[in-house]
Amino acid sequence: MSDEVEQGNGLVPVQYHQFEIGDEDGPVGADLEREHNGLVRIADDAITVMTGIHTGDVDVTVTLHEAQPATGSGSWQEVVEISAHSASGELMVRGIMDDLDEELPVLSFSGPGDYRLRIHARGRDTAVDLAPDEVTEWYLIQAWPAPTDEVTVLRQSDTYGATVRGL
């Protein structure tokens, strides 16, 4: 039996190599370490997911879980787990300059509080610094209620992530 509560998929607009996860009513990661892991950068007001493309759309799937899902191997090149806080219960994936055509499920599905996010990426080496017309990058964001914990890097294997970590 799966603990999955909901799943959604859609295109997320990217500008300047990034899209965000945030809560408009407050900081999402104020007490988390700021070291850059090549996939996710944490600032007080948002979690920034770094993309290989400069501008365009990436394919994002969100799955919501009652408890921590099993770690799958799959074809993901980068996988990082982070904690996020939602002050309003509206922790969401969003573009930094453009709205999503169709909103993805709210990550903080149990209301205000602390959540764990496992962010997966693949395809970031395909069109680095470009603005492709077709999708070249895929992301999976798994979310579940959990107390705040350290950033955990589960996989680092793409060239773009290594370049970002070197900055």
Side-chain angles (χ1 to χ4, degrees), residues 8-12 19 58-62 93 104 138-141:
N9 175 265
L11 297 179
V12 174
F19 66 91
V58 295
D59 184 291
V60 177
T61 298
V62 167
V93 175
L104 293 167
W138 293 265
Y139 296 82
L140 168 63
I141 302 171

Side-chain angles (χ1 to χ4, degrees), residues 27-98:
V28 298
D31 297 327
L32 300 175
E33 71 180 67
R34 302 297 200 260
E35 182 176 308
H36 206 312
N37 54 54
L39 177 58
V40 183
R41 184 176 65 228
I42 301 166
D44 288 345
D45 60 343
I47 296 165
T48 301
V49 180
M50 304 302 295
T51 65
I53 65 170
H54 182 277
T55 306
D57 290 327
V58 295
D59 184 291
V60 177
T61 298
V62 167
T63 61
L64 309 177
H65 304 266
E66 291 291 341
Q68 180 177 2
T71 305
S73 54
S75 60
W76 300 106
Q77 297 168 309
E78 300 274 320
V79 183
V80 173
E81 279 186 16
I82 60 169
S83 292
H85 179 76
S86 177
S88 70
E90 294 291 320
L91 184 66
M92 302 179 72
V93 175
R94 59 185 185 219
I96 61 167
M97 299 174 92
D98 292 325

Side-chain angles (χ1 to χ4, degrees), residues 16 19 38 42 46 51 69 74 82 89 100 116 129 139 142-144 154:
Y16 302 102
F19 66 91
I42 301 166
T51 65
I82 60 169
L100 279 62
R116 192 76 171 159
D129 296 331
Y139 296 82
Q142 297 172 305
W144 64 95
L154 300 172

Side-chain angles (χ1 to χ4, degrees), residues 102-167:
E102 199 169 309
E103 288 187 358
L104 293 167
V106 174
L107 298 170
S108 52
F109 63 95
S110 288
D114 295 321
Y115 291 82
R116 192 76 171 159
L117 307 178
R118 184 181 299 143
I119 302 170
H120 306 67
R122 74 170 175 259
R124 295 192 310 163
D125 293 338
T126 305
V128 175
D129 296 331
L130 300 177
D133 292 330
E134 296 181 10
V135 172
T136 60
E137 297 182 32
W138 293 265
Y139 296 82
L140 168 63
I141 302 171
Q142 297 172 305
W144 64 95
T148 299
D149 200 356
E150 305 252 338
V151 174
T152 304
V153 175
L154 300 172
R155 180 174 299 156
Q156 293 178 320
S157 66
D158 68 19
T159 303
Y160 183 73
T163 302
V164 174
R165 286 186 292 279
L167 296 178

